[in-house]
Structures are given as C-alpha cells and as structure tokens.
Amino acid sequence: MAQTLNVNKLILRGGSSSEWAAADPVLSVRELGVDTGFSPARFKIGDGVKKWSELQWAGTLVEASATNGNIKVNGSEVTVYTLPATGTAGTYCKVTTDAQGRVTVGANLAASDIPSITLSKVSDAGTAASKNVGTSAGNVVVLDSNGKLPEGILPALAVVDVFTVTSTAEMIKLNAQKGDMAIVGSDTYILSAAPASTLNNWVKIPHPTDVVQSVNGKTGAVVLTTTDVAEGTNNLYYTQARFDTAFAQKSVKDLSDGASVVTTGDTFILNCGTP
C-alpha cells in the first residue's frame, strides 16, 4: 500500500559562493543548488554530468550597475549606453554646458569671475578682520620678526624674589617688593604691601598640620603585605581551599564555555551541513 509523506518545509541544498567553489559537486538531474552569496540568491539545475562550476545559472538576473551606462546581467557588466566625450576630463571651478546639461568646457576661475563683496557679507571672517593694524586701542598688534609682541606695548613685569634670612628683624631690612617671599628658619613670609620695613606687611604662610605619622603602626619607607592588613568580612583573601570549595559548588553551565557543553537535559540537533 502506497504511503503519503507530508512535508511541511523543504530546504534546498545551498551554501555560499566560496563553499560551492570549494566543493564543486555534480548535481543530480533536476536537483536544485542555491548560491546564497548573491542578493537575491541565485540557483543552478543539475544534469547529472556537469560540475557546479560548469553549469549555467537558471534564468537571467539583471541588476543595476555602479558604472554609468552599464547594467549587470548574471553578474557581468554589460554596456547599454556610452556617453560621448564632449570635453577634457578634469576638475574645474567654472564649466560650460550644452542644452542637455553636459559639460563642454572646463576652466579655472579668474579674478574677474569673483564679485566684490563687503565684509558684512562674510559670516565667518571673525571680529579681527574689521580691525586696523597698530598699537592704538582697538587695533590688531602685529608680531615682530621673532614671532613676539613688540616690547613697547608690554607693561612692566614684576619678578618675584625669594630671600633667606635668619630672623624677622633681618627680613624687614630687605629691599623687597610686593609679592616677594622670605624664608625665616622653618617659616615662610610673603610681602603683601609696601614698605618691606613694616613687619605687619609680611604675611606668614601657614604650613599644613595634617601629616601622616605612621601606616599600620609602621614609620619610614613602609611596605605592607597581607600579613599586615586584617582580613575584612566581604573581600576575603584567596586560598586554595576556599577556591576548591567554591569551585565544587559550581555547575558546569556556570563556566565560561558552559554553553558549549551538552548534558542529558539538552536537545541535540544534528545539522547535515552545506555542500
């Protein structure tokens, strides 16, 4: 008695262009082979004799081409129309076109091609473009041949001096200017106002009082090890015994490659592959 096989899904034999090229099989008579390396996919029909590479594509695939005037027929470039040459190839700032909009003449811009415009029409010229060169108020100063500002426009600069003396009595005798500093023993003073001969014009700079006296009871060049630091309640030190205990409680699925492990509770699918 004949049996009827109900097929819900039929997947044709297929693979990428490189897979077909590597296998190069002989398809049976009327057997379809799909090359998924194309978009849309293309297929061939076997005759039982020729290899894949010897078979022609089934049907004709016509595609758009990136080359002007061409189309692609079964993956090969085919010229449909070639534009006639109307000018000299190149990059030009000024062109002349014919009635069809084709460029017939190309040339560079001449000074007469550029119209005169006012500075107010230029949106990104910056505010300096409207200023004159000079040293008066509102002018733009030009650097000298050394790339520096002229000395005549620079204000007098005060240089801070640092003096070392043995006492404040010696400090107030210094020929100092505002901003100068004096080191008196372990103390440091800065002159806040003239004259330097007035002691109250010297301001004592306070030294930091918070300094580290010791680290974990140690002084000097301190180097700590785990034996010097007590173990906390959350971040415990590593030991082999602790690792072995924690590792034994893990499932194989918790490992980094656990997803690749097949267990008795998994469903195993056997894929017969490509050409």
Side-chain angles (χ1 to χ4, degrees):
M1 180 176 179
Q3 298 292 330
T4 301
L5 176 63
N6 294 321
V7 179
N8 294 326
K9 181 185 292 185
L10 176 62
I11 300 177
L12 298 177
R13 185 177 183 181
S16 66
S17 300
S18 58
E19 289 175 321
W20 280 112
D24 203 18
V26 175
L27 299 183
S28 301
V29 178
R30 297 191 304 279
E31 180 185 2
L32 290 177
V34 180
D35 189 331
T36 59
F38 295 91
S39 179
R42 300 170 66 183
F43 65 93
K44 295 182 180 182
I45 302 175
D47 59 3
V49 177
K50 296 179 181 177
K51 294 181 179 180
W52 173 266
S53 59
E54 299 171 334
L55 293 172
Q56 299 296 320
W57 294 107
T60 300
L61 178 64
V62 179
E63 304 173 273
S65 171
T67 303
N68 186 24
N70 284 13
I71 61 173
K72 282 187 176 181
V73 178
N74 289 336
S76 300
E77 295 280 349
V78 177
T79 300
V80 177
Y81 174 73
T82 301
L83 289 174
T86 59
T88 303
T91 302
Y92 304 99
C93 298
K94 182 173 66 174
V95 296
T96 302
T97 64
D98 60 13
Q100 286 73 38
R102 297 176 301 172
V103 176
T104 58
V105 178
N108 294 322
L109 290 176
S112 58
D113 297 317
I114 303 175
S116 298
I117 58 175
T118 61
L119 183 61
S120 62
K121 298 293 184 180
V122 182
S123 61
D124 58 351
T127 56
S130 61
K131 305 298 181 181
N132 294 324
V133 174
T135 58
S136 300
N139 289 161
V140 176
V141 179
V142 178
L143 301 179
D144 61 19
S145 59
N146 296 318
K148 299 180 180 180
L149 291 172
E151 294 183 2
I153 65 171
L154 295 176
L157 300 179
V159 178
V160 175
D161 290 322
V162 178
F163 302 94
T164 301
V165 293
T166 59
S167 65
T168 56
E170 185 180 350
M171 179 181 69
I172 62 175
K173 295 179 182 179
L174 293 172
N175 182 19
Q177 296 179 348
K178 181 180 178 181
D180 288 347
M181 302 178 68
I183 300 175
V184 184
S186 60
D187 297 326
T188 303
Y189 294 83
I190 185 169
L191 184 60
S192 62
S197 58
T198 302
L199 182 60
N200 289 336
N201 290 341
W202 290 91
V203 178
K204 184 178 179 179
I205 301 175
H207 294 290
T209 57
D210 296 332
V211 294
V212 177
Q213 300 297 326
S214 65
V215 177
N216 203 32
K218 296 184 177 183
T219 60
V222 177
V223 178
L224 298 179
T225 66
T226 55
T227 59
D228 298 311
V229 182
E231 187 177 52
T233 57
N234 295 325
N235 299 317
L236 303 181
Y237 293 145
Y238 168 87
T239 66
Q240 187 63 44
R242 285 175 175 172
F243 171 79
D244 292 341
T245 300
F247 186 76
Q249 296 174 354
K250 294 292 183 180
S251 167
V252 68
K253 294 294 187 180
D254 295 329
L255 301 178
S256 60
D257 57 349
S260 303
V261 179
V262 179
T263 64
T264 56
D266 293 330
T267 301
F268 183 71
I269 300 175
L270 180 62
N271 188 346
C272 294
T274 58

